[in-house]
């Protein structure tokens, strides 16, 4: 790895610019000015309410967290206001578990959002400088441009403030590079920035940070084989960084891990973009039309200084950055070219949650900016002492100014197109669940109403027993068993006056989570609803939400923070402890604390909700239903169609429900899906699908599992006569061919399409 | 303090000042309860039609049907609220009140969130 090369003698204009850029106070002043100009329209509109559908949900998470702390003096662990109640730390898109939440507490969630953006833009620019300047002290200009990339403008438009966590990626790289040099401070910077990214939420910035950190770590290890500090110290430094990062972010990683492992979600489809589409996303300005920003300009990066990037290939570090930029672009193509790093990443446990490959365009921009800075530096070095150096420097400054101007204009254009409304009025009254509306969720929180209407990027465990028309939110399942009255309410605690004539089940109109605890009786999961089996008698019952993952993760993070402070205060910061492993032991302590809490604090494991078809019927069954028609069809892939059930006719809106029963016998190719053709004399309706039961790829089904694949098709336009159903397997991507039927049994088959029968289509 | 630090701090102060002094867009005045009740009744009368359309749009997909219903609901609520000069929040609240006054007449239970496998 190339070390700082500031020893090169500079003269004239280039030297003056460099000296200024070396001054942190100068840089921060420039960054603050740029961030202020960029955020100006957002700040002027800070009092208004973003109506974009995603903003409604993500903003509500932040608002509810602020309310928990400000109004109730509680940590925002449980959010009762959405989906019937969910674990706020465990839902991946909430962003309150980061230091920036202090701004929300101080100024309110609404007004703090642009201030958080202002701060993160500054941090992003300084982070980029720290990544690149050791290798390219002359190239400041390109580095300003990645943090102003169009993705951030679109993110603010959509209310995805948590996407600004990407601004901290450079800090992770800075930390890992430093840790790889055996420096203690590198481990602290890595842990602090990674924990901030994870705490700030989202399912992209964290995994991407881990990926880039791993890459930088491998590079550091490879370099250390032949250079100081040597392989052993580099390994120790990186281990320290990894352990501290895990400990510092456990408060969020653990709850999110629990959520995502218990909520089965399938990411189907083969998203991808051709090079021309991605180029348009990078180099055309964005426009907001009809409440949406199109894909053109969604990653706007009009960096004229990219012309210097090829010169970076003259250095190993530059070649790495150019390679990573190209790799980022290739990853962003997704499945468009058949295969890309995105398709391979999706096979990894953490990365299967990533749906949109185009987000890697930011990674491409980040490394392209760093390569441009290095390329510029090399050009200036080559021209050292000539008048051309000053001319190139002036040209580079002008190019940087033009590019920054374009990006800031893009920010303004996009944010000017936001759909804003006056903030809803707040009402002080008891909290109750309402039917709600996730598209307009932001209106319900201030009214002290929850929304049962729910959308998230994962299937939220939500009880079908939740109701929006109850006379009281707490009630006995059997009203004859007693009465209950609410004495006190807060998001994490309920105090109830319970008068039970006999032992019975008290229901709370919120979702169950194993982190709920009661001081009397036993908390139980009643069809997904929070309930308490209470003994007979009259008592005050206190329910409290205190999940083990929050306690263990919180203590681990606290311990990690103390370790980081201790490590930071020790001198010299640039060296690890003289005692072999002393620092690493300090970094292990938070994880040991978490382990200890896990042992001493009992909690039932989170129960995954049953996997169902989209119509609510169970997906996994043990035997073929009695009224299904058995078949014995075998395909060239190890899949059997063991039965089916066709409807008698259409329902009142013209829907026909079909059930197919599949069993997998071995490893099935990933791209195999089901085709369904419903034919009538009036035409055909297709019901093709890749995800069986809207839940599983055939490739993911454990061998031997019998699955009910229930789906419906709407045939209102084909009404009139008999309707026949043909099914089979096909390759969804690739050549699109049908999977041959090896044995159709007694089922009629033609061209590898099975005719299951017909029904009345009137 | 260096002039550059003054600039940085000045920018931060200006940013905070802008955010704190930002004025919200004007809100409609508090609505007449009778108007809200009438609007809510009109909206609720359309619910069966919206539910039916959602069943046709997403056959056999309960969550998507409910979500499509709520999308139509929120669009209609916004349009009616704007026409009548009432706030969107007040109209949603009126709908909520009506559901409690007439329990069991409409779909009021949760339809568990099951995001679709495909969005692309």
């Amino acid at each position: 790895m190339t070390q700082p090369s500031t020893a090169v003698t500079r003269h004239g204009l280039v030297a003056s610019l460099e000296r200024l850029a070396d001054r942190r106070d100068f840089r921060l002043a420039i960054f603050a000015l740029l961030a202020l100009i960029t955020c100006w329209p957002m700040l002027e509109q800070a009092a208004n309410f973003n109506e974009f559908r995603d903003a409604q949900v993500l903003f509500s998470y932040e608002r509810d967290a602020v309310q928990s702390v400000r109004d109730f003096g509680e940590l925002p662990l449980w959010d009762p206001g959405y989906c019937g109640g969910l674990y706020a730390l465990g839902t991946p898109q909430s962003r309150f578990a980061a230091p920036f939440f202090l701004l929300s507490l101080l100024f309110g969630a609404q007004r703090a959002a642009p201030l958080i953006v202002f701060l993160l833009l500054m941090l992003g620019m300084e982070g980029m400088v720290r990544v690149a300047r050791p290798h390219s002290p002359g190239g400041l200009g390109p580095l300003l441009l990645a943090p102003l990339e169009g993705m951030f403008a679109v993110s603010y438009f959509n209310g995805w403030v948590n996407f600004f966590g990407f601004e901290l990626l450079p800090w992770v790289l800075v930390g890992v590079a430093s840790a790889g040099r055996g420096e203690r401070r590198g481990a602290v910077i890595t842990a602090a920035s990674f924990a901030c990214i994870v705490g700030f939420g989202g399912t992209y910035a964290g995994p991407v940070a881990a990926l880039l950190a791993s890459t930088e770590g491998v590079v550091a290890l490879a370099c250390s084989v032949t250079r100081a500090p040597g392989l052993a110290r580099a390994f120790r430094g990186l281990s320290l960084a990894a352990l501290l990062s895990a400990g510092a972010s456990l408060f969020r990683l653990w709850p999110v891990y629990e959520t995502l492992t218990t909520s089965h979600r399938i990411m189907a489809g083969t998203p991808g973009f051709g090079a021309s589409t991605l180029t348009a996303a990078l180099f055309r300005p964005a426009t907001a039309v009809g409440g949406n920003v199109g894909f053109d300009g969604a990653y706007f990066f009009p960096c004229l200084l990219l012309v210097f990037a090829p010169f970076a290939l003259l250095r190993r570090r530059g070649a790495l950055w150019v390679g990573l930029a190209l790799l980022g672009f290739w990853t962003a193509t997704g499945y468009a070219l058949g295969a890309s790093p995105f398709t391979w990443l999706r096979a990894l446990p953490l990365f299967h949650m990533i749906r949109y490959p185009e987000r890697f365009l930011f990674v491409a921009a980040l490394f392209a900016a760093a390569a441009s800075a290095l390329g510029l530096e090399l050009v200036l070095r080559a021209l050292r002492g000539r008048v051309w150096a000053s001319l190139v420097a002036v040209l580079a400054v002008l190019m940087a100014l033009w590019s920054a101007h374009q990006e800031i204009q893009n920010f303004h254009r996009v944010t000017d197109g936001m759909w804003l409304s006056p903030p809803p009025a707040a009402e002080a009254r008891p909290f109750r669940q309402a039917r709600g509306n996730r598209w307009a969720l932001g209106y319900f929180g201030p009214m002290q109403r929850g929304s049962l209407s729910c959308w998230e990027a994962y299937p939220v465990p939500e009880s079908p027993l939740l109701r929006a028309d109850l006379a009281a939110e707490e009630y006995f399942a059997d009203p004859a068993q007693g009465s209950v009255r609410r004495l006190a309410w807060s998001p994490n605690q309920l105090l109830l006056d319970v008068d039970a004539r006999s032992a019975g089940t008290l229901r709370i109109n919120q979702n169950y989570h194993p982190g709920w605890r009661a001081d009397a009786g036993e908390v139980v999961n009643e069809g997904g609803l929070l309930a308490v089996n209470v003994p007979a008698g009259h008592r005050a019952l206190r329910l409290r939400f205190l999940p083990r993952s929050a306690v263990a993760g919180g203590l681990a993070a606290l311990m990690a923070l103390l370790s980081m402070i201790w490590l930071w205060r020790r001198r010299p910061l640039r060296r690890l402890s003289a005692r072999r492993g002393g620092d690493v032991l300090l970094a292990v302590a938070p994880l040991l604390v978490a382990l200890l809490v896990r042992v001493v604090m009992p909690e039932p494991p989170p129960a995954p909700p049953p996997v169902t078809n989209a119509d609510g019927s169970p997906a996994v069954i043990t035997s073929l239903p009695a009224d299904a028609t058995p078949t014995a069809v075998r395909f060239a892939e190890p899949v059997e169609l063991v039965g089916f059930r066709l409807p008698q006719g259409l329902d009142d809106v013209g829907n026909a429900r079909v059930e197919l029963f599949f069993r997998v016998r071995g490893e099935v190719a990933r791209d195999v899906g089901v085709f369904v053709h419903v034919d009538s004399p009036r035409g055909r309706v297709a019901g093709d699908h890749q995800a069986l039961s809207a839940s599983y790829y055939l490739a993911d089904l454990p061998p031997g599992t019998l699955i009910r694949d229930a789906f419906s098709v709407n045939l209102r336009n084909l009404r009139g006569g008999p309707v026949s159903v043909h099914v089979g397997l096909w390759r969804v991507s690739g050549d699109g061919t049908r999977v041959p039927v090896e044995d159709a049994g007694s089922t009629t088959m033609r061209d590898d399409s099975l005719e299951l029968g017909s029904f009345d289509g009137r | 303090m260096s002039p550059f630090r003054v600039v940085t701090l000045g920018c931060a102060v200006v940013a905070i000042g802008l955010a704190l002094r930002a004025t919200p867009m004007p809100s409609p005045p508090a609505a007449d309860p009778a108007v809200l009740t009438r609007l809510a009744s009109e909206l609720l009368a359309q619910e069966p039609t919206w539910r039916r359309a959602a069943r046709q749009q997403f056959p056999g997909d309960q969550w998507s049907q409910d979500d499509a219903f709520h999308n139509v609901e929120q669009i209609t609520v916004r349009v009616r609220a704007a026409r009548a000069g009432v706030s969107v929040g007040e109209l949603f609240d009126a709908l909520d009140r009506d559901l409690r006054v007439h329990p069991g007449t409409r779909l009021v239970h949760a339809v568990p969130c099951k995001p679709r496998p495909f969005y692309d």
Side-chain angles (χ1 to χ4, degrees), chain A residues 429 433 435 438 454 652, chain B residues 47 55 63 67 93 100:
Chain A
R429 56 184 181 181
Q433 296 294 357
R435 193 169 67 180
R438 68 98 169 172
C454 174
D652 59 321
Chain B
E47 282 196 8
R55 285 175 59 207
W63 176 77
D67 199 48
D93 198 31
R100 292 177 200 282

Side-chain angles (χ1 to χ4, degrees), chain A residues 412-435:
Chain A
H412 291 183
R413 196 170 40 247
V414 169
T415 49
D416 281 350
M418 287 171 69
W419 177 18
L420 299 171
S421 291
E427 283 197 55
R429 56 184 181 181
F431 174 83
R432 297 176 81 166
Q433 296 294 357
R435 193 169 67 180

Side-chain angles (χ1 to χ4, degrees), chain A residues 25 29 48 51 111 268 422 429 433 435 437-439 449 454 462 466 468-469 612 614-615 652-653 655 695, chain B residues 2 8 19-20 22 25 47 55-56 60 62-63 67 70 73 78 93 96 100 104 108-110 113-114 117-118:
Chain A
D25 58 353
N48 290 318
E51 292 275 17
R111 291 176 194 267
R429 56 184 181 181
Q433 296 294 357
R435 193 169 67 180
N437 192 311
R438 68 98 169 172
W439 301 83
R449 292 290 179 263
C454 174
E462 193 180 6
L466 290 160
D469 62 348
T612 62
D615 64 4
D652 59 321
V653 295
N655 288 343
S695 303
Chain B
S2 82
T8 308
L20 291 181
M25 300 157 98
E47 282 196 8
R55 285 175 59 207
Q56 290 179 329
Q62 292 180 345
W63 176 77
D67 199 48
H70 282 296
E73 180 193 43
R78 289 176 195 280
D93 198 31
D96 180 47
R100 292 177 200 282
V108 287
H109 62 75
C113 170
K114 186 176 174 67
F118 282 90

Side-chain angles (χ1 to χ4, degrees), chain A residues 649-669:
Chain A
L650 309 184
D651 69 9
D652 59 321
V653 295
N655 288 343
R657 182 175 183 275
V658 177
E659 288 184 349
L660 304 175
F661 300 92
F662 287 102
R663 186 178 276 129
V664 168
R665 289 292 181 198
E667 195 174 327
V668 184

Side-chain angles (χ1 to χ4, degrees), chain A residues 168 236 471 531 606:
Chain A
L168 298 175
R236 275 175 58 205

